[in-house]
Amino acid sequence: MREALFLLADLWMIFAGYFYGWKFIRRYGNYLLGLEWMVVATSGSNFLLWSLLGGDTGSVLYDVAYFFDAFSRSVGITFILIMGLMKVTHRYKPSRRVDVAVFGCAIVAGLFLRQYHGADLHTGGTAFWVAVFYVVANLLTAVFLGYFVKRLWDAGARWPAVWTGLVTAAGTTIAITYDFSPLPFDDANRTIFYTAALATWGTQGFVYFRAYRALHERNAALDANPARATGAPA
């Protein structure tokens, strides 16, 4: 039963990543969010293949999984997420050069930080501070997402605001639990934790897309009727 739930959670994350990632690019031209969503989906696909092939820690897929994990936890679902959402909060439109540079930084971070996965936080030295960095990056991102929730609420998108707040809280819980608070009732492979994490990350992809769409439509309505933004009679 645990394994079936794990597979379903991973498939959900893969679907949400590819489906909504493509929608971000196709519908809104947002390559930052679209490509990051697809990176998450590719990470899930790699994780699924590794699991189905027996979960060998000596496999190259194991190293690739750690790279994708470090990629998204350091820069992807932190800095890239914020920059992507700023398109609807601040009308920010980065150039293609900026897009490439940001993903280049994420690749470098992923290649460098992946080596610290699995190290003992009590004796690893640098590994401890890397884990702290992941949590701090997540918390800073959560602060921006709190602002994003307020923008949604003020725009009248109450349910997207509520769901965004809830899924962000769940994501932060996963980030803290990941390295510092392993579940005492979990198995050696942390099946329960990874099931919860994959389900949460997939739901974040779905919820953040819906929230982004709500603010995009609000902005489009204001652009079509500028008088509404100033309170002047239409």
Side-chain angles (χ1 to χ4, degrees), residues 14 20 31 43 46 59 66 86-87 99 103 105 112-113 121 142 144 147 194 197 199-200 206 210 228:
I14 293 169
Y20 293 107
Y31 285 87
S43 174
N46 176 78
S59 168
Y66 278 158
M86 284 177 65
K87 187 171 183 179
D99 289 347
F103 276 98
C105 290
F112 175 72
L113 295 174
L121 298 185
F144 177 84
Y147 163 77
Y194 281 116
T200 298
F206 165 70
R210 305 267 302 187
R228 293 177 60 187

mmCIF file with all atom_site columns, all heavy atoms in Angstrom, residues 14 20 31 43 46 59 66 86-87 99 103 105 112-113 121 142 144 147 194 197 199-200 206 210 228:
data_model
loop_
_atom_site.group_PDB
_atom_site.id
_atom_site.type_symbol
_atom_site.label_atom_id
_atom_site.label_alt_id
_atom_site.label_comp_id
_atom_site.label_asym_id
_atom_site.label_entity_id
_atom_site.label_seq_id
_atom_site.pdbx_PDB_ins_code
_atom_site.Cartn_x
_atom_site.Cartn_y
_atom_site.Cartn_z
_atom_site.occupancy
_atom_site.B_iso_or_equiv
_atom_site.pdbx_formal_charge
_atom_site.auth_seq_id
_atom_site.auth_comp_id
_atom_site.auth_asym_id
_atom_site.auth_atom_id
_atom_site.pdbx_PDB_model_num
ATOM 1   N N   . ILE A 1 14  ? 4.713   14.407 -11.562 1.00 0.00 ? 14  ILE A N   1
ATOM 2   C CA  . ILE A 1 14  ? 5.182   14.395 -12.950 1.00 0.00 ? 14  ILE A CA  1
ATOM 3   C C   . ILE A 1 14  ? 4.139   15.037 -13.863 1.00 0.00 ? 14  ILE A C   1
ATOM 4   O O   . ILE A 1 14  ? 4.452   15.892 -14.700 1.00 0.00 ? 14  ILE A O   1
ATOM 5   C CB  . ILE A 1 14  ? 5.493   12.954 -13.403 1.00 0.00 ? 14  ILE A CB  1
ATOM 6   C CG1 . ILE A 1 14  ? 6.697   12.405 -12.627 1.00 0.00 ? 14  ILE A CG1 1
ATOM 7   C CG2 . ILE A 1 14  ? 5.744   12.908 -14.905 1.00 0.00 ? 14  ILE A CG2 1
ATOM 8   C CD1 . ILE A 1 14  ? 6.911   10.912 -12.820 1.00 0.00 ? 14  ILE A CD1 1
ATOM 9   N N   . TYR A 1 20  ? 1.305   21.712 -16.383 1.00 0.00 ? 20  TYR A N   1
ATOM 10  C CA  . TYR A 1 20  ? 1.208   23.137 -16.060 1.00 0.00 ? 20  TYR A CA  1
ATOM 11  C C   . TYR A 1 20  ? 2.465   23.904 -16.470 1.00 0.00 ? 20  TYR A C   1
ATOM 12  O O   . TYR A 1 20  ? 2.391   25.106 -16.745 1.00 0.00 ? 20  TYR A O   1
ATOM 13  C CB  . TYR A 1 20  ? 0.891   23.316 -14.575 1.00 0.00 ? 20  TYR A CB  1
ATOM 14  C CG  . TYR A 1 20  ? -0.492  22.810 -14.245 1.00 0.00 ? 20  TYR A CG  1
ATOM 15  C CD1 . TYR A 1 20  ? -0.665  21.626 -13.530 1.00 0.00 ? 20  TYR A CD1 1
ATOM 16  C CD2 . TYR A 1 20  ? -1.626  23.482 -14.700 1.00 0.00 ? 20  TYR A CD2 1
ATOM 17  C CE1 . TYR A 1 20  ? -1.929  21.141 -13.263 1.00 0.00 ? 20  TYR A CE1 1
ATOM 18  C CE2 . TYR A 1 20  ? -2.889  22.995 -14.433 1.00 0.00 ? 20  TYR A CE2 1
ATOM 19  C CZ  . TYR A 1 20  ? -3.042  21.825 -13.716 1.00 0.00 ? 20  TYR A CZ  1
ATOM 20  O OH  . TYR A 1 20  ? -4.304  21.338 -13.472 1.00 0.00 ? 20  TYR A OH  1
ATOM 21  N N   . TYR A 1 31  ? 8.729   31.478 -19.205 1.00 0.00 ? 31  TYR A N   1
ATOM 22  C CA  . TYR A 1 31  ? 9.691   30.387 -19.309 1.00 0.00 ? 31  TYR A CA  1
ATOM 23  C C   . TYR A 1 31  ? 10.319  30.052 -17.958 1.00 0.00 ? 31  TYR A C   1
ATOM 24  O O   . TYR A 1 31  ? 10.717  28.898 -17.726 1.00 0.00 ? 31  TYR A O   1
ATOM 25  C CB  . TYR A 1 31  ? 10.778  30.735 -20.321 1.00 0.00 ? 31  TYR A CB  1
ATOM 26  C CG  . TYR A 1 31  ? 10.304  30.638 -21.749 1.00 0.00 ? 31  TYR A CG  1
ATOM 27  C CD1 . TYR A 1 31  ? 9.693   31.724 -22.380 1.00 0.00 ? 31  TYR A CD1 1
ATOM 28  C CD2 . TYR A 1 31  ? 10.429  29.452 -22.456 1.00 0.00 ? 31  TYR A CD2 1
ATOM 29  C CE1 . TYR A 1 31  ? 9.235   31.635 -23.685 1.00 0.00 ? 31  TYR A CE1 1
ATOM 30  C CE2 . TYR A 1 31  ? 9.979   29.343 -23.761 1.00 0.00 ? 31  TYR A CE2 1
ATOM 31  C CZ  . TYR A 1 31  ? 9.375   30.440 -24.370 1.00 0.00 ? 31  TYR A CZ  1
ATOM 32  O OH  . TYR A 1 31  ? 8.907   30.327 -25.670 1.00 0.00 ? 31  TYR A OH  1
ATOM 33  N N   . SER A 1 43  ? 12.621  15.549 -12.664 1.00 0.00 ? 43  SER A N   1
ATOM 34  C CA  . SER A 1 43  ? 13.163  14.978 -11.428 1.00 0.00 ? 43  SER A CA  1
ATOM 35  C C   . SER A 1 43  ? 12.287  13.828 -10.948 1.00 0.00 ? 43  SER A C   1
ATOM 36  O O   . SER A 1 43  ? 12.784  12.767 -10.558 1.00 0.00 ? 43  SER A O   1
ATOM 37  C CB  . SER A 1 43  ? 13.241  16.068 -10.352 1.00 0.00 ? 43  SER A CB  1
ATOM 38  O OG  . SER A 1 43  ? 13.621  15.515 -9.101  1.00 0.00 ? 43  SER A OG  1
ATOM 39  N N   . ASN A 1 46  ? 12.787  10.779 -13.192 1.00 0.00 ? 46  ASN A N   1
ATOM 40  C CA  . ASN A 1 46  ? 14.050  10.112 -12.864 1.00 0.00 ? 46  ASN A CA  1
ATOM 41  C C   . ASN A 1 46  ? 13.921  9.315  -11.566 1.00 0.00 ? 46  ASN A C   1
ATOM 42  O O   . ASN A 1 46  ? 14.392  8.168  -11.470 1.00 0.00 ? 46  ASN A O   1
ATOM 43  C CB  . ASN A 1 46  ? 15.152  11.153 -12.725 1.00 0.00 ? 46  ASN A CB  1
ATOM 44  C CG  . ASN A 1 46  ? 16.480  10.557 -12.301 1.00 0.00 ? 46  ASN A CG  1
ATOM 45  O OD1 . ASN A 1 46  ? 17.208  9.971  -13.101 1.00 0.00 ? 46  ASN A OD1 1
ATOM 46  N ND2 . ASN A 1 46  ? 16.825  10.696 -11.019 1.00 0.00 ? 46  ASN A ND2 1
ATOM 47  N N   . SER A 1 59  ? 23.558  3.607  -8.635  1.00 0.00 ? 59  SER A N   1
ATOM 48  C CA  . SER A 1 59  ? 23.103  3.940  -9.980  1.00 0.00 ? 59  SER A CA  1
ATOM 49  C C   . SER A 1 59  ? 23.349  5.395  -10.297 1.00 0.00 ? 59  SER A C   1
ATOM 50  O O   . SER A 1 59  ? 23.305  6.266  -9.419  1.00 0.00 ? 59  SER A O   1
ATOM 51  C CB  . SER A 1 59  ? 21.606  3.625  -10.108 1.00 0.00 ? 59  SER A CB  1
ATOM 52  O OG  . SER A 1 59  ? 21.064  4.173  -11.286 1.00 0.00 ? 59  SER A OG  1
ATOM 53  N N   . TYR A 1 66  ? 19.782  13.480 -6.938  1.00 0.00 ? 66  TYR A N   1
ATOM 54  C CA  . TYR A 1 66  ? 20.323  14.457 -5.993  1.00 0.00 ? 66  TYR A CA  1
ATOM 55  C C   . TYR A 1 66  ? 20.623  15.792 -6.673  1.00 0.00 ? 66  TYR A C   1
ATOM 56  O O   . TYR A 1 66  ? 20.488  16.853 -6.065  1.00 0.00 ? 66  TYR A O   1
ATOM 57  C CB  . TYR A 1 66  ? 21.576  13.907 -5.325  1.00 0.00 ? 66  TYR A CB  1
ATOM 58  C CG  . TYR A 1 66  ? 21.286  12.991 -4.160  1.00 0.00 ? 66  TYR A CG  1
ATOM 59  C CD1 . TYR A 1 66  ? 22.225  12.060 -3.727  1.00 0.00 ? 66  TYR A CD1 1
ATOM 60  C CD2 . TYR A 1 66  ? 20.067  13.063 -3.479  1.00 0.00 ? 66  TYR A CD2 1
ATOM 61  C CE1 . TYR A 1 66  ? 21.966  11.221 -2.645  1.00 0.00 ? 66  TYR A CE1 1
ATOM 62  C CE2 . TYR A 1 66  ? 19.798  12.241 -2.408  1.00 0.00 ? 66  TYR A CE2 1
ATOM 63  C CZ  . TYR A 1 66  ? 20.752  11.313 -1.986  1.00 0.00 ? 66  TYR A CZ  1
ATOM 64  O OH  . TYR A 1 66  ? 20.486  10.509 -0.921  1.00 0.00 ? 66  TYR A OH  1
ATOM 65  N N   . MET A 1 86  ? 6.694   37.224 -10.122 1.00 0.00 ? 86  MET A N   1
ATOM 66  C CA  . MET A 1 86  ? 6.753   38.689 -10.204 1.00 0.00 ? 86  MET A CA  1
ATOM 67  C C   . MET A 1 86  ? 6.200   39.219 -11.529 1.00 0.00 ? 86  MET A C   1
ATOM 68  O O   . MET A 1 86  ? 5.915   40.408 -11.651 1.00 0.00 ? 86  MET A O   1
ATOM 69  C CB  . MET A 1 86  ? 8.193   39.167 -10.001 1.00 0.00 ? 86  MET A CB  1
ATOM 70  C CG  . MET A 1 86  ? 8.657   39.121 -8.558  1.00 0.00 ? 86  MET A CG  1
ATOM 71  S SD  . MET A 1 86  ? 10.397  39.609 -8.355  1.00 0.00 ? 86  MET A SD  1
ATOM 72  C CE  . MET A 1 86  ? 10.316  41.339 -8.855  1.00 0.00 ? 86  MET A CE  1
ATOM 73  N N   . LYS A 1 87  ? 5.999   38.347 -12.483 1.00 0.00 ? 87  LYS A N   1
ATOM 74  C CA  . LYS A 1 87  ? 5.405   38.786 -13.738 1.00 0.00 ? 87  LYS A CA  1
ATOM 75  C C   . LYS A 1 87  ? 3.973   39.250 -13.526 1.00 0.00 ? 87  LYS A C   1
ATOM 76  O O   . LYS A 1 87  ? 3.499   40.161 -14.213 1.00 0.00 ? 87  LYS A O   1
ATOM 77  C CB  . LYS A 1 87  ? 5.447   37.658 -14.773 1.00 0.00 ? 87  LYS A CB  1
ATOM 78  C CG  . LYS A 1 87  ? 4.986   38.090 -16.162 1.00 0.00 ? 87  LYS A CG  1
ATOM 79  C CD  . LYS A 1 87  ? 5.231   37.025 -17.213 1.00 0.00 ? 87  LYS A CD  1
ATOM 80  C CE  . LYS A 1 87  ? 4.841   37.514 -18.602 1.00 0.00 ? 87  LYS A CE  1
ATOM 81  N NZ  . LYS A 1 87  ? 5.087   36.488 -19.648 1.00 0.00 ? 87  LYS A NZ  1
ATOM 82  N N   . ASP A 1 99  ? 16.814  34.780 -18.215 1.00 0.00 ? 99  ASP A N   1
ATOM 83  C CA  . ASP A 1 99  ? 16.302  33.414 -18.038 1.00 0.00 ? 99  ASP A CA  1
ATOM 84  C C   . ASP A 1 99  ? 17.445  32.402 -18.093 1.00 0.00 ? 99  ASP A C   1
ATOM 85  O O   . ASP A 1 99  ? 17.557  31.516 -17.238 1.00 0.00 ? 99  ASP A O   1
ATOM 86  C CB  . ASP A 1 99  ? 15.280  33.079 -19.138 1.00 0.00 ? 99  ASP A CB  1
ATOM 87  C CG  . ASP A 1 99  ? 13.972  33.833 -18.968 1.00 0.00 ? 99  ASP A CG  1
ATOM 88  O OD1 . ASP A 1 99  ? 13.748  34.418 -17.884 1.00 0.00 ? 99  ASP A OD1 1
ATOM 89  O OD2 . ASP A 1 99  ? 13.169  33.833 -19.923 1.00 0.00 ? 99  ASP A OD2 1
ATOM 90  N N   . PHE A 1 103 ? 18.941  30.009 -14.885 1.00 0.00 ? 103 PHE A N   1
ATOM 91  C CA  . PHE A 1 103 ? 18.982  28.546 -14.953 1.00 0.00 ? 103 PHE A CA  1
ATOM 92  C C   . PHE A 1 103 ? 20.423  28.047 -14.953 1.00 0.00 ? 103 PHE A C   1
ATOM 93  O O   . PHE A 1 103 ? 20.701  26.962 -14.437 1.00 0.00 ? 103 PHE A O   1
ATOM 94  C CB  . PHE A 1 103 ? 18.223  28.042 -16.189 1.00 0.00 ? 103 PHE A CB  1
ATOM 95  C CG  . PHE A 1 103 ? 16.745  27.926 -15.964 1.00 0.00 ? 103 PHE A CG  1
ATOM 96  C CD1 . PHE A 1 103 ? 15.888  28.926 -16.382 1.00 0.00 ? 103 PHE A CD1 1
ATOM 97  C CD2 . PHE A 1 103 ? 16.215  26.840 -15.300 1.00 0.00 ? 103 PHE A CD2 1
ATOM 98  C CE1 . PHE A 1 103 ? 14.524  28.841 -16.150 1.00 0.00 ? 103 PHE A CE1 1
ATOM 99  C CE2 . PHE A 1 103 ? 14.854  26.729 -15.061 1.00 0.00 ? 103 PHE A CE2 1
ATOM 100 C CZ  . PHE A 1 103 ? 14.004  27.742 -15.490 1.00 0.00 ? 103 PHE A CZ  1
ATOM 101 N N   . CYS A 1 105 ? 22.796  29.438 -13.206 1.00 0.00 ? 105 CYS A N   1
ATOM 102 C CA  . CYS A 1 105 ? 23.139  29.466 -11.778 1.00 0.00 ? 105 CYS A CA  1
ATOM 103 C C   . CYS A 1 105 ? 22.549  28.266 -11.053 1.00 0.00 ? 105 CYS A C   1
ATOM 104 O O   . CYS A 1 105 ? 23.188  27.668 -10.168 1.00 0.00 ? 105 CYS A O   1
ATOM 105 C CB  . CYS A 1 105 ? 22.635  30.757 -11.145 1.00 0.00 ? 105 CYS A CB  1
ATOM 106 S SG  . CYS A 1 105 ? 23.524  32.232 -11.659 1.00 0.00 ? 105 CYS A SG  1
ATOM 107 N N   . PHE A 1 112 ? 27.066  21.547 -7.539  1.00 0.00 ? 112 PHE A N   1
ATOM 108 C CA  . PHE A 1 112 ? 27.924  21.740 -6.369  1.00 0.00 ? 112 PHE A CA  1
ATOM 109 C C   . PHE A 1 112 ? 27.291  21.172 -5.090  1.00 0.00 ? 112 PHE A C   1
ATOM 110 O O   . PHE A 1 112 ? 27.957  20.482 -4.302  1.00 0.00 ? 112 PHE A O   1
ATOM 111 C CB  . PHE A 1 112 ? 28.218  23.223 -6.187  1.00 0.00 ? 112 PHE A CB  1
ATOM 112 C CG  . PHE A 1 112 ? 29.002  23.524 -4.936  1.00 0.00 ? 112 PHE A CG  1
ATOM 113 C CD1 . PHE A 1 112 ? 30.345  23.185 -4.838  1.00 0.00 ? 112 PHE A CD1 1
ATOM 114 C CD2 . PHE A 1 112 ? 28.388  24.132 -3.848  1.00 0.00 ? 112 PHE A CD2 1
ATOM 115 C CE1 . PHE A 1 112 ? 31.071  23.450 -3.675  1.00 0.00 ? 112 PHE A CE1 1
ATOM 116 C CE2 . PHE A 1 112 ? 29.104  24.404 -2.685  1.00 0.00 ? 112 PHE A CE2 1
ATOM 117 C CZ  . PHE A 1 112 ? 30.443  24.065 -2.599  1.00 0.00 ? 112 PHE A CZ  1
ATOM 118 N N   . LEU A 1 113 ? 26.015  21.429 -4.885  1.00 0.00 ? 113 LEU A N   1
ATOM 119 C CA  . LEU A 1 113 ? 25.370  21.084 -3.616  1.00 0.00 ? 113 LEU A CA  1
ATOM 120 C C   . LEU A 1 113 ? 24.956  19.613 -3.513  1.00 0.00 ? 113 LEU A C   1
ATOM 121 O O   . LEU A 1 113 ? 24.754  19.107 -2.410  1.00 0.00 ? 113 LEU A O   1
ATOM 122 C CB  . LEU A 1 113 ? 24.137  21.971 -3.406  1.00 0.00 ? 113 LEU A CB  1
ATOM 123 C CG  . LEU A 1 113 ? 24.432  23.467 -3.227  1.00 0.00 ? 113 LEU A CG  1
ATOM 124 C CD1 . LEU A 1 113 ? 23.127  24.258 -3.176  1.00 0.00 ? 113 LEU A CD1 1
ATOM 125 C CD2 . LEU A 1 113 ? 25.259  23.717 -1.975  1.00 0.00 ? 113 LEU A CD2 1
ATOM 126 N N   . LEU A 1 121 ? 24.477  15.296 9.357   1.00 0.00 ? 121 LEU A N   1
ATOM 127 C CA  . LEU A 1 121 ? 24.428  16.714 9.693   1.00 0.00 ? 121 LEU A CA  1
ATOM 128 C C   . LEU A 1 121 ? 25.173  17.037 10.977  1.00 0.00 ? 121 LEU A C   1
ATOM 129 O O   . LEU A 1 121 ? 25.579  18.177 11.199  1.00 0.00 ? 121 LEU A O   1
ATOM 130 C CB  . LEU A 1 121 ? 22.974  17.175 9.820   1.00 0.00 ? 121 LEU A CB  1
ATOM 131 C CG  . LEU A 1 121 ? 22.107  17.054 8.561   1.00 0.00 ? 121 LEU A CG  1
ATOM 132 C CD1 . LEU A 1 121 ? 20.736  17.673 8.820   1.00 0.00 ? 121 LEU A CD1 1
ATOM 133 C CD2 . LEU A 1 121 ? 22.761  17.728 7.370   1.00 0.00 ? 121 LEU A CD2 1
ATOM 134 N N   . ALA A 1 142 ? 8.783   31.636 1.205   1.00 0.00 ? 142 ALA A N   1
ATOM 135 C CA  . ALA A 1 142 ? 7.460   31.629 1.832   1.00 0.00 ? 142 ALA A CA  1
ATOM 136 C C   . ALA A 1 142 ? 7.008   33.046 2.196   1.00 0.00 ? 142 ALA A C   1
ATOM 137 O O   . ALA A 1 142 ? 5.811   33.348 2.146   1.00 0.00 ? 142 ALA A O   1
ATOM 138 C CB  . ALA A 1 142 ? 7.467   30.739 3.070   1.00 0.00 ? 142 ALA A CB  1
ATOM 139 N N   . PHE A 1 144 ? 7.721   35.771 0.486   1.00 0.00 ? 144 PHE A N   1
ATOM 140 C CA  . PHE A 1 144 ? 7.206   36.354 -0.758  1.00 0.00 ? 144 PHE A CA  1
ATOM 141 C C   . PHE A 1 144 ? 5.847   35.756 -1.102  1.00 0.00 ? 144 PHE A C   1
ATOM 142 O O   . PHE A 1 144 ? 4.939   36.466 -1.556  1.00 0.00 ? 144 PHE A O   1
ATOM 143 C CB  . PHE A 1 144 ? 8.180   36.114 -1.914  1.00 0.00 ? 144 PHE A CB  1
ATOM 144 C CG  . PHE A 1 144 ? 7.653   36.625 -3.237  1.00 0.00 ? 144 PHE A CG  1
ATOM 145 C CD1 . PHE A 1 144 ? 7.813   37.957 -3.587  1.00 0.00 ? 144 PHE A CD1 1
ATOM 146 C CD2 . PHE A 1 144 ? 6.982   35.778 -4.110  1.00 0.00 ? 144 PHE A CD2 1
ATOM 147 C CE1 . PHE A 1 144 ? 7.312   38.437 -4.791  1.00 0.00 ? 144 PHE A CE1 1
ATOM 148 C CE2 . PHE A 1 144 ? 6.475   36.251 -5.306  1.00 0.00 ? 144 PHE A CE2 1
ATOM 149 C CZ  . PHE A 1 144 ? 6.645   37.586 -5.653  1.00 0.00 ? 144 PHE A CZ  1
ATOM 150 N N   . TYR A 1 147 ? 3.140   37.435 0.606   1.00 0.00 ? 147 TYR A N   1
ATOM 151 C CA  . TYR A 1 147 ? 2.770   38.654 -0.119  1.00 0.00 ? 147 TYR A CA  1
ATOM 152 C C   . TYR A 1 147 ? 1.902   38.308 -1.327  1.00 0.00 ? 147 TYR A C   1
ATOM 153 O O   . TYR A 1 147 ? 0.915   39.000 -1.637  1.00 0.00 ? 147 TYR A O   1
ATOM 154 C CB  . TYR A 1 147 ? 4.031   39.393 -0.557  1.00 0.00 ? 147 TYR A CB  1
ATOM 155 C CG  . TYR A 1 147 ? 3.807   40.423 -1.637  1.00 0.00 ? 147 TYR A CG  1
ATOM 156 C CD1 . TYR A 1 147 ? 3.253   41.665 -1.330  1.00 0.00 ? 147 TYR A CD1 1
ATOM 157 C CD2 . TYR A 1 147 ? 4.155   40.142 -2.959  1.00 0.00 ? 147 TYR A CD2 1
ATOM 158 C CE1 . TYR A 1 147 ? 3.040   42.610 -2.331  1.00 0.00 ? 147 TYR A CE1 1
ATOM 159 C CE2 . TYR A 1 147 ? 3.955   41.085 -3.954  1.00 0.00 ? 147 TYR A CE2 1
ATOM 160 C CZ  . TYR A 1 147 ? 3.398   42.312 -3.640  1.00 0.00 ? 147 TYR A CZ  1
ATOM 161 O OH  . TYR A 1 147 ? 3.189   43.235 -4.628  1.00 0.00 ? 147 TYR A OH  1
ATOM 162 N N   . TYR A 1 194 ? 8.608   10.767 1.569   1.00 0.00 ? 194 TYR A N   1
ATOM 163 C CA  . TYR A 1 194 ? 8.708   11.097 0.156   1.00 0.00 ? 194 TYR A CA  1
ATOM 164 C C   . TYR A 1 194 ? 7.340   11.090 -0.520  1.00 0.00 ? 194 TYR A C   1
ATOM 165 O O   . TYR A 1 194 ? 7.104   11.863 -1.460  1.00 0.00 ? 194 TYR A O   1
ATOM 166 C CB  . TYR A 1 194 ? 9.671   10.142 -0.552  1.00 0.00 ? 194 TYR A CB  1
ATOM 167 C CG  . TYR A 1 194 ? 11.113  10.501 -0.325  1.00 0.00 ? 194 TYR A CG  1
ATOM 168 C CD1 . TYR A 1 194 ? 11.983  9.638  0.352   1.00 0.00 ? 194 TYR A CD1 1
ATOM 169 C CD2 . TYR A 1 194 ? 11.622  11.720 -0.756  1.00 0.00 ? 194 TYR A CD2 1
ATOM 170 C CE1 . TYR A 1 194 ? 13.311  9.974  0.578   1.00 0.00 ? 194 TYR A CE1 1
ATOM 171 C CE2 . TYR A 1 194 ? 12.948  12.067 -0.537  1.00 0.00 ? 194 TYR A CE2 1
ATOM 172 C CZ  . TYR A 1 194 ? 13.785  11.195 0.127   1.00 0.00 ? 194 TYR A CZ  1
ATOM 173 O OH  . TYR A 1 194 ? 15.095  11.547 0.355   1.00 0.00 ? 194 TYR A OH  1
ATOM 174 N N   . ALA A 1 197 ? 5.985   14.410 0.386   1.00 0.00 ? 197 ALA A N   1
ATOM 175 C CA  . ALA A 1 197 ? 6.729   15.460 -0.313  1.00 0.00 ? 197 ALA A CA  1
ATOM 176 C C   . ALA A 1 197 ? 6.330   15.536 -1.785  1.00 0.00 ? 197 ALA A C   1
ATOM 177 O O   . ALA A 1 197 ? 6.060   16.626 -2.312  1.00 0.00 ? 197 ALA A O   1
ATOM 178 C CB  . ALA A 1 197 ? 8.226   15.198 -0.185  1.00 0.00 ? 197 ALA A CB  1
ATOM 179 N N   . ALA A 1 199 ? 3.577   14.462 -3.212  1.00 0.00 ? 199 ALA A N   1
ATOM 180 C CA  . ALA A 1 199 ? 2.196   14.925 -3.320  1.00 0.00 ? 199 ALA A CA  1
ATOM 181 C C   . ALA A 1 199 ? 2.114   16.434 -3.103  1.00 0.00 ? 199 ALA A C   1
ATOM 182 O O   . ALA A 1 199 ? 1.380   17.142 -3.811  1.00 0.00 ? 199 ALA A O   1
ATOM 183 C CB  . ALA A 1 199 ? 1.317   14.195 -2.306  1.00 0.00 ? 199 ALA A CB  1
ATOM 184 N N   . THR A 1 200 ? 2.880   16.941 -2.149  1.00 0.00 ? 200 THR A N   1
ATOM 185 C CA  . THR A 1 200 ? 2.888   18.380 -1.867  1.00 0.00 ? 200 THR A CA  1
ATOM 186 C C   . THR A 1 200 ? 3.467   19.158 -3.031  1.00 0.00 ? 200 THR A C   1
ATOM 187 O O   . THR A 1 200 ? 2.904   20.181 -3.463  1.00 0.00 ? 200 THR A O   1
ATOM 188 C CB  . THR A 1 200 ? 3.694   18.672 -0.591  1.00 0.00 ? 200 THR A CB  1
ATOM 189 O OG1 . THR A 1 200 ? 3.071   18.019 0.515   1.00 0.00 ? 200 THR A OG1 1
ATOM 190 C CG2 . THR A 1 200 ? 3.767   20.167 -0.323  1.00 0.00 ? 200 THR A CG2 1
ATOM 191 N N   . PHE A 1 206 ? 0.200   22.684 -9.249  1.00 0.00 ? 206 PHE A N   1
ATOM 192 C CA  . PHE A 1 206 ? -1.190  22.900 -9.658  1.00 0.00 ? 206 PHE A CA  1
ATOM 193 C C   . PHE A 1 206 ? -1.752  24.201 -9.070  1.00 0.00 ? 206 PHE A C   1
ATOM 194 O O   . PHE A 1 206 ? -2.308  25.042 -9.779  1.00 0.00 ? 206 PHE A O   1
ATOM 195 C CB  . PHE A 1 206 ? -2.028  21.704 -9.215  1.00 0.00 ? 206 PHE A CB  1
ATOM 196 C CG  . PHE A 1 206 ? -3.512  21.932 -9.235  1.00 0.00 ? 206 PHE A CG  1
ATOM 197 C CD1 . PHE A 1 206 ? -4.192  22.066 -10.433 1.00 0.00 ? 206 PHE A CD1 1
ATOM 198 C CD2 . PHE A 1 206 ? -4.227  22.007 -8.048  1.00 0.00 ? 206 PHE A CD2 1
ATOM 199 C CE1 . PHE A 1 206 ? -5.567  22.272 -10.444 1.00 0.00 ? 206 PHE A CE1 1
ATOM 200 C CE2 . PHE A 1 206 ? -5.593  22.211 -8.054  1.00 0.00 ? 206 PHE A CE2 1
ATOM 201 C CZ  . PHE A 1 206 ? -6.267  22.351 -9.253  1.00 0.00 ? 206 PHE A CZ  1
ATOM 202 N N   . ARG A 1 210 ? -2.859  27.952 -10.846 1.00 0.00 ? 210 ARG A N   1
ATOM 203 C CA  . ARG A 1 210 ? -4.202  28.521 -10.753 1.00 0.00 ? 210 ARG A CA  1
ATOM 204 C C   . ARG A 1 210 ? -4.156  29.930 -10.144 1.00 0.00 ? 210 ARG A C   1
ATOM 205 O O   . ARG A 1 210 ? -4.884  30.826 -10.577 1.00 0.00 ? 210 ARG A O   1
ATOM 206 C CB  . ARG A 1 210 ? -5.084  27.613 -9.897  1.00 0.00 ? 210 ARG A CB  1
ATOM 207 C CG  . ARG A 1 210 ? -5.146  26.165 -10.358 1.00 0.00 ? 210 ARG A CG  1
ATOM 208 C CD  . ARG A 1 210 ? -6.272  25.872 -11.263 1.00 0.00 ? 210 ARG A CD  1
ATOM 209 N NE  . ARG A 1 210 ? -7.568  26.171 -10.707 1.00 0.00 ? 210 ARG A NE  1
ATOM 210 C CZ  . ARG A 1 210 ? -8.703  25.847 -11.315 1.00 0.00 ? 210 ARG A CZ  1
ATOM 211 N NH1 . ARG A 1 210 ? -8.660  25.208 -12.473 1.00 0.00 ? 210 ARG A NH1 1
ATOM 212 N NH2 . ARG A 1 210 ? -9.860  26.150 -10.785 1.00 0.00 ? 210 ARG A NH2 1
ATOM 213 N N   . ARG A 1 228 ? -10.849 51.192 -13.394 1.00 0.00 ? 228 ARG A N   1
ATOM 214 C CA  . ARG A 1 228 ? -11.087 50.348 -12.228 1.00 0.00 ? 228 ARG A CA  1
ATOM 215 C C   . ARG A 1 228 ? -9.904  50.395 -11.279 1.00 0.00 ? 228 ARG A C   1
ATOM 216 O O   . ARG A 1 228 ? -10.048 50.212 -10.077 1.00 0.00 ? 228 ARG A O   1
ATOM 217 C CB  . ARG A 1 228 ? -11.344 48.903 -12.665 1.00 0.00 ? 228 ARG A CB  1
ATOM 218 C CG  . ARG A 1 228 ? -12.629 48.718 -13.429 1.00 0.00 ? 228 ARG A CG  1
ATOM 219 C CD  . ARG A 1 228 ? -12.787 47.285 -13.896 1.00 0.00 ? 228 ARG A CD  1
ATOM 220 N NE  . ARG A 1 228 ? -12.808 46.374 -12.750 1.00 0.00 ? 228 ARG A NE  1
ATOM 221 C CZ  . ARG A 1 228 ? -12.792 45.046 -12.873 1.00 0.00 ? 228 ARG A CZ  1
ATOM 222 N NH1 . ARG A 1 228 ? -12.723 44.497 -14.068 1.00 0.00 ? 228 ARG A NH1 1
ATOM 223 N NH2 . ARG A 1 228 ? -12.814 44.288 -11.810 1.00 0.00 ? 228 ARG A NH2 1
#
